[in-house]
Amino acid sequence: RVPVITMQEKHDEPLKLEILFTDMNAEMTQFLTTCAHKFQEEVLEVMKDQFIERFERRIADFFKDEFDKRFGSQWHCLCGQFAASVTHESRTLVHFEMQFSPQEKRPHHHKSESVADRKRNAPPVRYWKVLLFKAG
């Protein structure tokens, strides 16, 4: 088992990407990070609080399309709750989690505001599990 790799450039950055397992090379892993940030800018930041139906499908399509363009076709991406048994090309598998915490401007909390109230009023955190691989 590969140790967890967390990619978050700044502590207060809204996107957190954790690679749970990968056999990808460094170029593909770096490209995954680039894609996650692109997804944040082009989709998550624009949508903010809008929940769209089948959002996991949008995530899967985004990463599949980006990897198809960069590394050739036959990429597959699963997102959400899943169990999987797959055959894949060597050095093309990654299992990761993405967490997005939108940064909303809120008035600075008062000392009288409890921790529970701050948590209750905080923006929602969105969390997805993703499996990306190339079938051979």
Side-chain angles (χ1 to χ4, degrees):
R1 180 168 164 92
V2 174
V4 171
I5 301 168
T6 301
M7 297 176 186
Q8 189 173 20
E9 291 175 8
K10 296 179 273 183
H11 181 67
D12 62 345
E13 185 171 300
L15 181 72
K16 180 178 175 184
L17 177 72
E18 289 189 37
I19 297 177
L20 304 176
F21 174 84
T22 188
D23 68 354
M24 287 181 165
N25 62 35
E27 178 190 4
M28 287 183 180
T29 304
Q30 181 58 47
F31 186 69
L32 176 69
T33 305
T34 301
C35 289
H37 288 285
K38 183 177 177 182
F39 185 77
Q40 173 189 333
E41 292 168 5
E42 293 181 5
V43 180
L44 293 175
E45 287 289 347
V46 173
M47 294 178 58
K48 290 280 185 194
D49 296 321
Q50 299 173 25
F51 263 100
I52 63 168
E53 202 169 308
R54 302 180 57 84
F55 194 69
E56 286 86 2
R57 176 65 183 262
R58 188 157 187 179
I59 294 168
D61 287 344
F62 182 88
F63 282 94
K64 179 201 178 336
D65 291 347
E66 292 296 316
F67 271 75
D68 278 348
K69 286 183 228 169
R70 176 75 177 263
F71 300 107
S73 63
Q74 300 301 317
W75 285 88
H76 300 276
C77 188
L78 306 171
C79 180
Q81 296 290 336
F82 59 84
S85 177
V86 299
T87 302
H88 64 91
E89 285 187 16
S90 179
R91 305 196 44 83
T92 66
L93 177 74
V94 63
H95 179 220
F96 63 97
E97 295 177 347
M98 273 193 330
Q99 178 179 313
F100 180 69
S101 305
Q103 301 297 310
E104 295 179 1
K105 296 188 187 245
R106 293 190 309 131
H108 192 16
H109 69 275
H110 299 286
K111 290 184 181 186
S112 62
E113 184 180 31
S114 71
V115 172
D117 286 338
R118 284 196 303 274
K119 286 182 179 179
R120 185 174 31 260
N121 296 327
V125 173
R126 297 187 178 107
Y127 178 79
W128 302 279
K129 292 185 178 198
V130 184
L131 182 68
L132 177 68
F133 61 96
K134 185 172 187 175

